[in-house]
Amino acid sequence: MKNNLLTSARRFRILLSLTAMLMLLWPESHLFGQSSRGRSWASPPFDSVMVASGNFAEPRPGHFHSGLDLKTGGQPGWPVYAAAEGYVSRIKVRSSGFGKALYIDHPGNITTVYAHLYAFTGPVADTVSYIQSKELEFELDIFPDKEQFRIEKGQLIGYSGNSGSSYGPHLHYEFRNTITQRPFDPILMGMAVSDSIAPELTSLVIYTPGEFGGLFGAERVVIRAVDGIYPDTVETDQQSVFLGYSVYERADLSSNPLGLKSALVLNEDDTIFYCSVDSFSYSETRFVNSLSDPLLGDTLNSFIYIAAKLPGNELSQVTAADDGLIYLHDGQPARIKIILTDRADNQSVSEFILKYNINNESLGLCFADEGIKVQRKRRLRKREGDLRVEFEKNSFYEDVRLKLNCIENPQGISDLYEVGMPGQAIHKRYTVQIRSSYSDPRAGIISVNGTDTTWFSTKRVRNMHTSTLRSFGRFTLAVDSIAPRVTNDELHMQTDSVINARSITLKLTDDLSGVSKVVTYLNGQRIVNEFNSYRNETVVYPGPLEADKPVSLKVEVTDAAGNTGEYTFIVKRNL
């Protein structure tokens, strides 16, 4: 297939070689607006070898990962050191997200970020403690003057932890351009983990474009390797197709799946699809959804990349000739080569011949619903019974059909409504409104998918309940009338409880809407607690306790529906 829009693999190889040479010869500031100190500029955050559980631009639901996730042996408390000289430009503490995070600005317009920390150190820790005690709030976001906290290269700045939305103890370590706030690959600053293992192609997918010429309604034929070997020839009864694939990429010393540096799909020497992400802006990170097939991924329990560019994919890092379509109607087979490259430049190359055969009837998977047509470039407002939905233009990455169904629910306070397919990709939030005369202010919109329920923040104006969502499924109104509960295996209500630790961890449970606020008092005086909304727990530091002087610890916990529970524990130190 020859096309003047196609970019040859030879040109790509020359371009990539020139880029590599420029990165070695030029200061990074010429390429990224960063430091001119080159690859030896930064020092590692740990004394020990860096082991990655996540890497830069790894695709995650709704975003590219913006840094390195570094293992800490399953434990918090590893000393964390500054990459280079600079000053603390931001200190942020949240109950979710990055948790306790420190931002350091360095010469050359580079910012490093250290997140999910257990604790800060020195004057930074003292300042955070002072502000939290003064404001009686755990969360804060401050931007110190550049002279307030000067940092030296290799200085101890904190201890690794598990704060915020963290799946386990680790350090999130990130490099950004200070001016643009674009994160970029830490390997450009010499922060590379040991990796001698090439990516492994774990499945190949042949897509027949759907009703609107893209992923929606496409037929998928999944091809697996037999004893690690893929067939030399793949036949299809379709004259135009595009490809997809899944990959297992990992580094040395860890089995955690990582993301790729680049993917290149060729037909002969012609480039069909190319994607390489060394940097991105937060305004474009959600377009990662347009690079995947989430519905097939859920079925195969794997992340499925598509080697095609959907109409709504605005990523500048993606190049695709004819949007990634491969044409076989001229009877000529396509000689396909898939080159997968990881962050350490290890490569795997898979080659096969793709042929059109009208007699090759293959039964593939198809995920499509009958429903109303949604044109990507148009705004949509629709009503189904007491349900109203509204989508802004460019909410989807391509034209789709959207299911809107009403299911009678006589036992509930509203009917049950089906909107779209669970897992279907969407870019922007859309508005859901359910009309109901039910007046309890503790009512909210929930999704009901199997046995799982999720509460959404809901506004009520007269008889209309409104939420903005980024997921599809079944929705209804529900009431959360039960206050949250507080438990700790070592503490007992209104009876003396003996503790030996300097902190008390309280588990929080709620019936439906989720805990939104925790307030704590020690002997009637309010104190700060470290609330983690991701793990539904809070940590209290009662300070020095005496064995013969019990203290009263009162906990007020409120959920998103406004229910509040109060719990009091009598605590003393062991003899």
Side-chain angles (χ1 to χ4, degrees), residues 45-65:
F46 297 144
D47 284 328
S48 59
V49 173
M50 295 192 302
V51 180
S53 59
N55 67 341
F56 181 78
E58 176 188 339
R60 297 188 176 181
H63 68 283
F64 289 112
H65 187 234

Side-chain angles (χ1 to χ4, degrees), residues 368-403:
D369 278 325
E370 294 183 358
I372 56 174
K373 180 179 178 180
V374 182
Q375 294 179 281
R376 179 179 64 88
K377 293 185 177 182
R378 292 188 177 181
R379 191 176 185 180
L380 176 73
R381 293 177 178 174
K382 283 292 179 181
R383 180 172 178 174
E384 179 68 30
D386 287 327
L387 171 75
R388 296 177 183 175
V389 294
E390 181 175 343
F391 296 84
E392 296 181 31
K393 64 180 181 179
N394 296 317
S395 288
F396 294 88
Y397 302 108
E398 58 180 338
D399 290 354
V400 300
R401 289 196 180 276
L402 188 72
K403 175 170 63 176

